[in-house]
Amino acid sequence: QVQLVESGGGLVQPGGSLRLSCAAPRNIFSIYVMGWYRQAPGKQRELVASITSAGITTYADSAKGRFTISRDNAKNTVNLQMNSLKPKDTAVYYCNARFFVRDLWGQGTQVTVSS
């Protein structure tokens, strides 16, 4: 069942920016590692960025320097600020919550980078 709700996807030109948000239940958000994955056509789903409850972040090499993941503990949301977007960033982006081997997923939000 969907317990994570993503928003913020859309169409943007190369070099533009988008901010994705994911709302999670309080009990999930407070302890799970939160992350963003993406899956482009013909490719496997890959980790873009993650953040622990303590605020420790991890980024894919392709995202470093361009994307920033953050948590808003008051709103129980995790955000992904994406700058300098490239056509290769085009994918469905999924919010993920992980506690050891247990995973929760959002339904995904489409990000399309095209002129």
Side-chain angles (χ1 to χ4, degrees):
Q1 296 189 13
V2 178
Q3 298 188 51
L4 310 176
V5 181
E6 304 105 330
S7 63
L11 174 65
V12 65
Q13 295 185 30
S17 299
L18 283 174
R19 183 177 177 87
L20 306 182
S21 295
C22 173
R26 184 180 66 254
N27 63 322
I28 298 298
F29 184 83
S30 65
I31 191 171
Y32 281 49
V33 176
M34 304 298 300
W36 287 96
Y37 286 72
R38 68 186 181 189
Q39 187 165 23
K43 295 185 176 181
Q44 292 185 304
R45 188 174 299 184
E46 63 178 357
L47 175 69
V48 178
S50 66
I51 185 168
T52 71
S53 60
I56 305 300
T57 59
T58 299
Y59 294 94
D61 288 340
S62 61
K64 292 179 180 177
R66 299 189 299 127
F67 296 1
T68 302
I69 189 169
S70 61
R71 301 171 67 105
D72 187 332
N73 294 331
K75 298 181 178 180
N76 298 323
T77 60
V78 60
N79 305 304
L80 184 68
Q81 179 66 46
M82 304 187 293
N83 299 325
S84 301
L85 284 162
K86 306 172 181 179
K88 63 183 178 182
D89 294 318
T90 296
V92 177
Y93 284 69
Y94 297 90
C95 183
N96 168 261
R98 179 167 293 152
F99 188 74
F100 291 100
V101 298
R102 188 188 183 204
D103 278 319
L104 299 175
W105 295 92
Q107 295 198 73
T109 184
Q110 177 71 47
V111 171
T112 302
V113 185
S114 176
S115 59

